Amino acid sequence: WLERTLRDGLTRHSKERDAEVISSHYDVGNDFYELFLGSEMTYTCAYYPHPDATLDEAQENKFRLVFEKLRLKAGDRHLDLGCGWGGMVRYAAKRGVKSLGVTLSKEQADWAQAKIKEEGLEDLAEVRHADVRDVTESGFDGISAIGLLEHIGVDNYAEFFATFSGKLREGGLLLNHCITNSDNHRSMKGGFIDRYIFPDGELTGSGTVIREMQDNGLEVLHEENLRFDYARTLRHWCLNLKDNWDDAVELVGENTAKLWGMYMAGSQWGFEHDVVQLHQVLGVKLD
């Protein structure tokens, strides 16, 4: 990481650096991600309603889980931080919620906005190509951060939760969904992932996440570990990549396709063996 910082002249987790990192990972190409993510284009842990559920069913069920935990209803305002290709935004908008998603990836934002237009959701849904720190709106009924906290750095947790608890109305809810260690030590994601897949990622435990939420404007109401669901999600992604291997190699080259395959298979093993976990933590802004 130090070599990259000296070379790039960018401070880790600055807006410029984060934009570069996100682009290097997510702008590999939407066509490539479509080969293994499924029709929902969702790059986070699914939630399996039964063992034989398809990946798309499980991703839809994850959106339902987040939506219900946030107690959203028609007429509410929702903010999805690090929204990816906008699946959560569209799920909420289809249920009458005015939903804003924010992503640093231009390819994700363009894909999401086209999908919103295709589904006739322009009046309720928006995906914005921007840094989450540049969101000016406030008074949201619910905020979701699904797979974002891993990328902001543990030292920035306090500022993150203080900022976004401040963007909730009184009684509003924030749900944080992120990968954690199995205990509360801090670690980079690992040399391989940091160098080849996603630079600057950092993990700690769910206890640290809960403490920072409690210390920065939120009462924690509920916590849930979905690590087995993430292992199953990754298995589906790996099988999809395998089934579409020739297309993947044609799109991104054999080296990149192999890197993604190794990264996802290794991550599956990590969730299966409790090296890493996936926690959803729900907090409320008190009056």
Side-chain angles (χ1 to χ4, degrees), residues 30 57 74 78 85 102 157 196 202 205 211 215 232-233 274 278 281:
N30 291 329
E57 288 173 337
H78 166 244
W85 287 271
V102 182
Y157 283 11
Y196 293 109
E202 187 177 10
R211 183 192 68 214
D215 289 351
R232 187 170 289 165
T233 304
D274 198 26
L278 188 289
V281 184

Side-chain angles (χ1 to χ4, degrees), residues 125-158:
E126 176 191 354
V127 169
R128 189 178 296 170
H129 177 217
D131 192 294
V132 297
R133 288 164 285 194
D134 292 331
V135 173
T136 58
E137 295 89 338
S138 61
F140 292 99
D141 299 283
I143 297 176
S144 50
I146 305 173
L148 174 66
L149 203 68
E150 302 94 322
H151 311 306
I152 72 168
V154 176
D155 289 339
N156 298 315
Y157 283 11

Side-chain angles (χ1 to χ4, degrees), residues 165-214:
S165 65
K167 291 188 177 296
L168 289 167
R169 64 166 175 81
E170 291 181 349
L173 295 158
L174 183 149
L175 184 135
N176 186 77
H177 165 125
C178 73
I179 300 169
T180 72
N181 288 324
S182 56
D183 57 33
N184 287 291
H185 79 279
R186 291 173 60 167
S187 67
M188 300 295 288
K189 280 192 172 181
F192 172 80
I193 290 179
D194 187 58
R195 180 168 183 176
Y196 293 109
I197 304 296
F198 213 123
D200 299 352
E202 187 177 10
L203 302 180
T204 186
S206 60
T208 304
V209 175
I210 290 171
R211 183 192 68 214
E212 295 293 352
M213 290 177 70
Q214 291 171 329

